[in-house]
Amino acid sequence: MDDPLLRLPPLDPLRGFVAAARNLSFTRAAAQLCLTQSAVSRQIQALEEALGVSLFVRRTRALSLTPEGERLYRLASGWLRDYGELATSLRPDPLNLPVTVTASLGITALWLLPQLRDFQSRYPDIDVRLASSNRVVDLRREGIDLALRHCVDADVPAGSVRLFGETVFPVASPALGLVELTRENLPTVALMNYDDPNFPWLGWADWLATCGLEGVRPRAVLHFNHYDQLIQAAVAGQGVAIGRAELLSDLIAEGRLQPVGSARRQVAERGYWLISASDAPREAVVCFRNWVCEAAAGTRNAAGRLMGC
C-alpha cells in the first residue's frame, strides 16, 4: 500500500529551518531553539537532502532564502504556528488541574471521605481526585500531588507533616450492649480480626493476652483483609473490632460505635503523615494541604477526648 505519509520528508528539521529562515541566521536560530549552531545546520542539511533542493543561499556573513526556501517558509511557518496554538489549547491548564491525593483504602473511607464535604463547601472551585490504593506509589512518577500515609515516623521524607498518631482499643456497635470484655461474656462474642502481619496491634492475639483473656475462646472469629470493611461490619453489630481512635472518632461521636472497656494503647513511633510530591506545589495543592492539617487538628482533639473515656 502506497501511503503518502511514508513519502514525507523528515518533519523535525522544520523547526530549525523556520527559525533560520525567520532570522536569516543559523546562530540566532540556534539560540532560540536552545541548540548549537552545528545542530541547526545539520537539521537544514538533512531537510535539503530529503527535498533535493537548496533552501538557503550561503554567503560569507550573509544568508538568504532560495525561491524553494521562500515557498517552504511561507507554508511551514504558518503550519507550525497553527500547530503550536492547537497544542497549547489541548494541554490542560495547570491552574485548573485537580488536586490528586492518594491514601490507603482504610484512611480514605474512614477519615478522608467523611471530612471532604467540608473542603468542598469551603473551596468549590478546587477539584479533587482520590487515588486510593494500599500500595506505596511514587508520587511524582504517577502524577500525584499529596499522599496520606500511615507509616513508621523514621521512614517519612523530609518536609512531611505528622497529622496524628495511632491509638487503639476495642469498639463495637452500641446495639451489642458490651461495656467490657470479660472471661464470662467473651464466649458469647464474635471477634473481628484484621489479618495483616504488618499491623499486629489490630489483631486480637496480643490484645487478649494484655487483658488477661488468653485461652478464652470467643463465640467466633471473623477475618478481614481490608480494615474499612472490618469497621463496616462492626457498625452493623457483627462483632468487636480493634478500633483506631483517630480514624473512628466521628463514628464514635455519632453513636455508631462505642469503646468496649477502658484500656487504651498507643502505637509507638508510628503515625499518619501528609507527604507532598513537590517542594513548591501550586496554589490549589497548598490550599488542600492546609485544610488537611486543620482537619487533623480536630481529629487529634477528638482522639484525646477518647483517651479519657
Side-chain angles (χ1 to χ4, degrees):
M1 180 176 178
D2 185 18
D3 192 328
L5 291 174
L6 297 176
R7 300 196 303 274
L8 285 175
L11 298 179
D12 190 58
L14 279 178
R15 289 200 308 168
F17 165 74
V18 169
R22 180 188 303 129
N23 292 280
L24 292 179
S25 168
F26 289 174
T27 301
R28 288 194 293 272
Q32 286 185 350
L33 299 177
C34 298
L35 297 173
T36 64
Q37 180 180 349
S38 60
V40 171
S41 180
R42 286 195 299 271
Q43 284 187 352
I44 294 170
Q45 183 178 359
L47 188 59
E48 288 177 327
E49 291 175 353
L51 295 173
V53 296
S54 295
L55 299 174
F56 290 96
V57 177
R58 297 163 175 84
R59 300 186 181 91
T60 303
R61 301 183 181 277
L63 190 69
S64 61
L65 287 166
T66 65
E68 294 81 6
E70 290 278 4
R71 292 175 58 193
L72 180 60
Y73 176 64
R74 286 195 297 271
L75 175 68
S77 61
W79 181 83
L80 288 179
R81 182 188 61 250
D82 293 344
Y83 178 59
E85 292 175 354
L86 174 63
T88 299
S89 70
L90 294 177
R91 294 189 188 103
D93 184 349
L95 297 177
N96 294 326
L97 287 175
V99 178
T100 301
V101 184
T102 185
S104 72
L105 301 179
I107 295 173
T108 300
L110 297 173
W111 190 81
L112 184 55
L113 282 178
Q115 307 280 347
L116 200 56
R117 180 180 298 177
D118 175 66
F119 179 83
Q120 292 174 312
S121 66
R122 291 165 62 179
Y123 305 99
D125 295 333
I126 299 179
D127 294 335
V128 178
R129 174 177 172 264
L130 299 181
S132 300
S133 175
N134 286 338
R135 66 187 179 91
V136 177
V137 301
D138 186 311
L139 302 186
R140 294 184 180 180
R141 181 180 302 170
E142 302 200 22
I144 294 173
D145 297 301
L146 297 167
L148 278 70
R149 288 180 179 162
H150 177 271
C151 53
V152 177
D153 293 347
D155 290 345
V156 299
S160 301
V161 179
R162 196 176 197 270
L163 300 175
F164 37 77
E166 175 102 302
T167 309
V168 297
F169 48 79
V171 295
S173 167
L176 297 184
L178 284 173
V179 177
E180 62 179 334
L181 292 176
T182 66
R183 287 185 171 272
E184 290 71 32
N185 66 17
L186 184 55
T188 68
V189 172
L191 300 181
M192 298 191 295
N193 206 69
Y194 182 49
D195 290 341
D196 190 327
N198 295 313
F199 298 87
W201 58 91
L202 297 179
W204 278 99
D206 289 347
W207 190 272
L208 294 177
T210 300
C211 296
L213 297 175
E214 69 275 16
V216 182
R217 293 180 60 85
R219 176 175 60 81
V221 178
L222 303 177
H223 296 269
F224 295 81
N225 65 347
H226 288 294
Y227 188 72
D228 58 314
Q229 295 177 1
L230 180 151
I231 294 303
Q232 290 172 10
V235 171
Q238 295 181 23
V240 186
I242 302 297
R244 307 162 96 169
E246 288 76 11
L247 299 187
L248 304 183
S249 57
D250 285 348
L251 290 174
I252 293 173
E254 294 166 2
R256 300 171 68 187
L257 288 175
Q258 68 178 24
V260 177
S262 59
R264 305 286 185 267
R265 181 186 301 174
Q266 288 188 311
V267 182
E269 300 177 349
R270 280 181 173 266
Y272 295 83
W273 289 81
L274 180 63
I275 300 169
S276 298
S278 171
D279 295 332
R282 63 188 189 279
E283 182 178 350
V285 177
V286 172
C287 187
F288 190 88
R289 184 181 63 188
N290 292 343
W291 171 82
V292 167
C293 293
E294 181 182 334
T299 295
R300 289 195 299 273
N301 293 334
R305 290 191 293 271
L306 288 173
M307 287 293 290
C309 290

